[in-house]
Amino acid sequence: MVRAVRIRRGWRQQDLADLAGVSRGTISRIERGKLDELSIGRVRAVCLALEIRAELMPRSRHAEVDRMASARHSALAEFVVNWLAGLEGWIVRPEVSFAFYADRGIVDVLAWHAKRRAILVIELKTEIIDVGELLGTLDRKRRVAARIAQDLGWRPDVVGVCLLVGESMTNRRRVQRHAATFQAALPQDGRAIRRWLREPVLDLRAMRFVSDGRPGNVRSAFSAPRRVLARATSCGNGATGSRRAHEERGTAPRG
């Protein structure tokens, strides 16, 4: 892919290396698939110079790990689709794919309000990891939202985007760590989303945490698992280990 795009642009390896800020040897190794000794940052820099995406997709030998992640995402999607389908005037489409030259991907949930000619692009996240990649992806989907809608026979005048994140302490900490960035990209909150869904007359850019409100659930089934705490032992520092585990849970041990 890198070599094909470089040649199509009429660039030499050195031209691409200069633009990406790497050595010509790095370009050569990438084009020959010799990536073992290269950092992800250098690979991304080269792809950015070519305006193509580099995606790292970790896979596990143990299928249950992938199934767990998929199950959490599916549960969140099911919750959102049911929520929107219950609102008057909204048509909901999950997993809508698009491909416009370099812009390609999948919209997790797409909703259409015919009376107001409004479209809502929803990005679902069970775990916040790469903030820059997340917001960049969402902005790209916002830019092509009208074209996606037209392929479905819709002609929107209003475009809204929102990020729905599985409720967890970890996700809240990561959002707080990048609070200024999220505020600039998605300045509106859950209350604004609810108002907009009732009257979608202006563009929307919002984020909301979503928790699993089913009876008996003490935490969100939409977020990634919590960290594993150290087990208490019966010898040596067992009491200390037990007390530390309670402190990390936010509870106090008895006695």
Side-chain angles (χ1 to χ4, degrees):
M1 169 69 78
V2 169
R3 183 174 184 274
V5 176
R6 174 179 64 79
I7 292 174
R8 188 163 65 241
R9 294 192 174 207
W11 293 352
R12 302 170 302 162
Q13 287 186 342
Q14 189 61 55
D15 297 330
L16 177 55
D18 292 342
L19 188 59
V22 300
S23 69
R24 191 193 64 77
T26 294
I27 304 299
S28 176
R29 284 195 290 272
I30 291 174
E31 292 187 351
R32 289 182 290 118
K34 307 294 185 180
L35 304 179
D36 290 349
E37 298 180 0
L38 298 179
S39 69
I40 295 175
R42 279 189 285 175
V43 175
R44 283 183 170 175
V46 172
C47 291
L48 182 62
L50 291 169
E51 298 182 343
I52 60 178
R53 295 183 62 193
E55 296 185 348
L56 179 64
M57 298 293 291
R59 296 294 183 187
S60 170
R61 293 182 183 179
H62 306 290
E64 65 270 17
V65 175
D66 294 330
R67 285 200 300 269
M68 285 171 60
S70 178
R72 289 193 301 271
H73 189 275
S74 296
L76 179 54
E78 183 74 11
F79 176 88
V80 171
V81 168
N82 285 334
W83 168 46
L84 292 175
L87 301 178
E88 184 178 355
W90 286 97
I91 299 171
V92 187
R93 294 284 184 89
E95 298 286 322
V96 178
S97 62
F98 63 93
F100 307 118
Y101 299 102
D103 289 321
R104 58 184 65 237
I106 295 177
V107 176
D108 291 328
V109 179
L110 192 66
W112 165 248
H113 196 288
K115 182 178 180 180
R116 294 297 185 184
R117 300 176 67 87
I119 192 169
L120 179 61
V121 174
I122 300 178
E123 183 80 1
L124 306 176
K125 281 295 173 184
T126 59
E127 184 176 12
I128 299 291
I129 299 177
D130 187 331
V131 173
E133 174 70 16
L134 167 60
L135 296 180
T137 297
L138 188 56
D139 183 65
R140 185 175 69 256
K141 292 176 182 178
R142 178 191 61 79
R143 286 189 286 104
V144 300
R147 296 178 66 184
I148 297 172
Q150 289 172 11
D151 285 349
L152 296 171
W154 305 334
R155 298 292 185 272
D157 294 328
V158 179
V159 176
V161 294
C162 72
L163 171 63
L164 301 182
V165 182
E167 176 71 70
S168 75
M169 291 297 294
T170 299
N171 282 340
R172 283 193 176 272
R173 281 197 300 269
R174 288 173 179 168
V175 169
Q176 183 59 36
R177 195 176 302 138
H178 301 277
T181 300
F182 276 104
Q183 179 62 28
L186 303 167
Q188 294 157 289
D189 59 13
R191 288 171 295 184
I193 294 173
R194 289 191 291 272
R195 290 194 298 268
W196 191 88
L197 287 170
R198 291 193 297 268
E199 194 69 15
V201 294
L202 299 173
D203 290 348
L204 174 78
R205 292 183 296 136
M207 184 185 72
R208 173 192 171 189
F209 286 97
V210 182
S211 60
D212 188 347
R214 292 177 298 175
N217 280 25
V218 295
R219 71 180 186 88
S220 174
F222 304 145
S223 62
R226 294 174 293 180
R227 61 183 176 182
V228 177
L229 302 178
R231 292 185 179 181
T233 59
S234 59
C235 60
N237 62 350
T240 302
S242 177
R243 181 170 295 277
R244 184 179 296 115
H246 281 290
E247 288 173 353
E248 294 200 24
R249 293 190 189 100
T251 61
R254 296 181 179 179

